[in-house]
Every structure is written in C-alpha cells, then in structure tokens.
Amino acid sequence: MEKMFNIPSKIENLRIVEKAVDELSSEYNLSSELYGNILIATIEAANNAILHGNKLDENKNVHIKFKIEEKFLSIVVKDQGNGFDYSHIPDPTAPENLEKINGRGVFLMERLSDKILFSDNGSKVELLFNI
C-alpha cells in the first residue's frame, strides 16, 4: 500500500493529515497505542514542515507519503524549505530547555516512532513504525 498527497502550508491542513492517519488506522486495525504514536509523530512532522520548513508560505506544499511493506509503516514528510541541521537539536529535557515552549517536535517524533531518518539537508523526514 502506498498513498501520497500534498497539502498547502496552512496549519488548518493538519486536519487532512489527521484524517489520513485515521483512515490508515481503520484500514489496518492498528492498536490505539500505535495509532496515537503515529498520529502525534506525523502531525509533528507536518507541523514542522509547514511552520519551519515552508514558513507558512501557502504557495509551498508539504509532500506526505504513507507506505506499508510487510510489517513496517513508512511516513515521509517533505517540505520545500532549505532544511535544518538535524544533528544539533537541543535536548528539550535539559534543565536549560525545560521552560521553552518550542523544540519538542523532533524529540517526540524520535520517541514515538521506531526509527527516524532525516535527509535532503533536513527538509525530509521519514518515520518508521513496526506494525
């Protein structure tokens, strides 16, 4: 199974991403825990792409691909921005970062997925889940 779609960089389009995860969960009868992990990680990835990658430019799209092969779900989220240095993300659990309201998205994606891969200079993230 493979499903691809594009969304313009508007925060309200996160509903489209949520609906796609809901449909995937129903179709593959995912556990509620796995569904929650996939939903939060995917929403975080799409939100980061909209806000940070495409900087809310509605003329830029976020490309999303869901792919299931054997026992794995791959979710790829790609923005049209310049990327970022994903090797130097501050630890949101460090005492100096606990009060900051931003900076937890990648941390959540790392904890909720079974594997996370960045490419294209950080403008593309792949979340892998064992299903």
Side-chain angles (χ1 to χ4, degrees):
M1 183 286 298
E2 187 172 300
K3 178 180 181 177
M4 297 187 315
F5 58 98
N6 296 318
I7 58 170
S9 294
K10 295 172 22 177
I11 292 296
E12 55 266 26
N13 286 335
L14 291 174
R15 287 185 225 139
I16 297 168
V17 178
E18 183 176 1
K19 184 176 185 235
V21 173
D22 288 349
E23 290 170 358
L24 178 83
S25 178
S26 291
E27 184 176 342
Y28 288 90
N29 198 28
L30 302 178
S31 72
S32 59
E33 180 182 353
L34 183 56
Y35 163 76
N37 290 351
I38 293 168
L39 178 64
I40 293 168
T42 305
I43 292 292
E44 283 294 336
N47 185 62
N48 284 350
I50 291 169
L51 282 177
H52 304 297
N54 292 344
K55 302 193 184 323
L56 294 169
D57 181 346
E58 295 179 21
N59 296 311
K60 292 183 177 180
N61 287 319
V62 175
H63 309 286
I64 301 170
K65 179 171 79 171
F66 293 174
K67 186 173 184 178
I68 293 181
E69 289 182 329
E70 298 180 25
K71 302 256 182 211
F72 294 97
L73 166 64
S74 163
I75 300 173
V76 176
V77 178
K78 170 116 175 70
D79 62 58
Q80 294 180 287
N82 295 325
F84 72 105
D85 184 359
Y86 50 87
S87 64
H88 290 94
I89 299 171
D91 179 359
T93 64
E96 66 273 14
N97 296 326
L98 290 177
E99 300 294 322
K100 293 182 180 178
I101 58 172
N102 293 321
R104 289 171 175 70
V106 172
F107 176 82
L108 283 171
M109 289 186 287
E110 288 174 337
R111 296 306 181 274
L112 296 173
S113 65
D114 292 299
K115 188 172 186 179
I116 184 171
L117 304 166
F118 288 99
S119 57
D120 293 354
N121 201 36
S123 66
K124 180 177 175 182
V125 62
E126 181 175 14
L127 304 166
L128 296 164
F129 298 90
N130 297 320
I131 59 170

